[in-house]
Amino acid sequence: QKEVEQNSGPLSVPEGAIASLNCTYSDRGSQSFFWYRQYSGKSPELIMSIYSNGDKEDGRFTAQLNKASQYVSLLIRDSQPSDSATYLCAVNVQGAQKLVFGQGTRLTINP
Amino acid sequence: DADVTQTPRNRITKTGKRIMLECSQTKGHDRMYWYRQDPGLGLRLIYYSFDVKDINKGEISDGYSVSRQAQAKFSLSLESAIPNQTALYFCATLGHPNTGELFFGEGSRLTVL
C-alpha cells in the first residue's frame, strides 16, 4: 500500500462549481498535511497546510482533515479555469522530516 | 534569479552514460531533497539531506547517488543511466520542517535513450 494515495483523475468540473479532491494516507502517526498545486510544465507550489482535525479555509480553498479515517481533502469553491492544474497531496512522515507525495489529481475547470 | 537552480534543464543521453544533475540554492536552508516525477506517479523521493554530513535514502534510491558539497549545493548522479530513469527531476529545499513548504527548482528533464 502506498503511503499516500489520490485518485489520479482526470477530474473535470464546470466553472463556478465546487471541486473536491481527496487523499488517504497510511501512517497513522503523521501530523502534517499539505496540498501542492502544479501547473503544466511548472514546479509544484504549496497552497494549503493543515495540522488539526477539521476544516481550514483560505479564500476559495478549504482543507479538511480526519485523522481517525486517515483522510485529507481539498475543496475549491467557485472554480475558475485558472484552477486547472495537478493537485498533489503530501504528508510529513512521522519524525522523518520528509514529505511523501501522492500520485496527484489532474483537475480541469471547464468554462 | 531563482532561489533554487537546477542544471541542466534538459538532457538527452544514452544508456550506460554517467549523468550529474546539479542543484544550488540561495535560501540558506539546511534540508535539501531530490524527487523524481513520472506521469501518474506523482513525486517520489530519491535522496534527502539535512546537512553536509547527513544524507538519507528515499523510497527509490537504487541506481542513484548524491553529493552534498556545501549547504547550498546538492548533486544527483546516475552512474550508469538506463531508459527507465527517463523522468523529470526536481530539487527542493525545506525551510521550517513543520511548515512543509518545499521550494522547488524548475526541474531537470532527463531522457535516456
Side-chain angles (χ1 to χ4, degrees):
Chain A
Q1 180 188 7
K2 282 181 63 66
E3 290 185 87
V4 181
E5 296 209 46
Q6 297 178 249
N7 185 330
S8 59
L11 177 64
S12 184
V13 173
E15 184 176 357
I18 296 175
S20 178
L21 305 164
N22 304 315
C23 173
T24 58
Y25 61 95
S26 61
D27 181 3
R28 188 169 287 277
S30 296
Q31 298 294 323
S32 309
F33 309 87
F34 311 93
W35 284 98
Y36 280 75
R37 177 178 62 200
Q38 185 178 23
Y39 291 115
S40 181
K42 300 295 185 181
S43 310
E45 57 179 338
L46 180 68
I47 56 171
M48 288 288 286
S49 58
I50 188 165
Y51 310 101
S52 304
N53 278 329
D55 295 358
K56 178 182 178 182
E57 186 174 319
D58 184 359
R60 295 186 295 109
F61 297 93
T62 299
Q64 299 175 318
L65 173 61
N66 183 325
K67 291 185 178 180
S69 300
Q70 296 175 243
Y71 179 92
V72 190
S73 65
L74 179 70
L75 301 178
I76 306 174
R77 292 184 301 281
D78 187 23
S79 297
Q80 303 296 309
S82 60
D83 294 325
S84 297
T86 295
Y87 289 81
L88 297 157
C89 173
V91 177
N92 198 339
V93 174
Q94 184 186 24
Q97 297 184 40
K98 64 177 183 179
L99 264 63
V100 178
F101 286 82
Q103 311 95 302
T105 298
R106 186 157 59 92
L107 174 65
T108 300
I109 306 300
N110 299 308
Chain B
D1 290 340
D3 293 326
V4 182
T5 303
Q6 293 183 230
T7 56
R9 295 289 313 282
N10 288 282
R11 181 72 181 268
I12 299 174
T13 190
K14 295 182 179 180
T15 297
K17 294 292 188 180
R18 183 178 187 274
I19 294 296
M20 178 180 286
L21 305 179
E22 298 185 337
C23 177
S24 62
Q25 53 114 347
T26 59
K27 300 194 73 67
H29 293 161
D30 289 327
R31 296 168 179 84
M32 297 187 72
Y33 303 76
W34 275 104
Y35 285 92
R36 166 179 172 161
Q37 188 170 39
D38 299 275
L41 295 178
L43 289 163
R44 292 183 292 168
L45 184 60
I46 307 173
Y47 271 95
Y48 58 108
S49 171
F50 292 162
D51 64 38
V52 174
K53 297 181 181 179
D54 186 356
I55 293 178
N56 305 277
K57 292 183 177 181
E59 56 185 308
I60 55 164
S61 59
D62 288 348
Y64 301 95
S65 62
V66 291
S67 174
R68 185 80 185 267
Q69 301 95 323
Q71 186 206 37
K73 296 184 182 296
F74 192 35
S75 301
L76 177 71
S77 294
L78 289 68
E79 295 300 326
S80 180
I82 56 177
N84 76 1
Q85 292 177 312
T86 293
L88 181 59
Y89 292 85
F90 284 105
C91 174
T93 71
L94 180 68
H96 193 289
N98 289 340
T99 68
E101 183 166 14
L102 287 167
F103 297 87
F104 285 87
E106 294 180 306
S108 296
R109 185 167 296 281
L110 176 65
T111 302
V112 183
L113 302 177

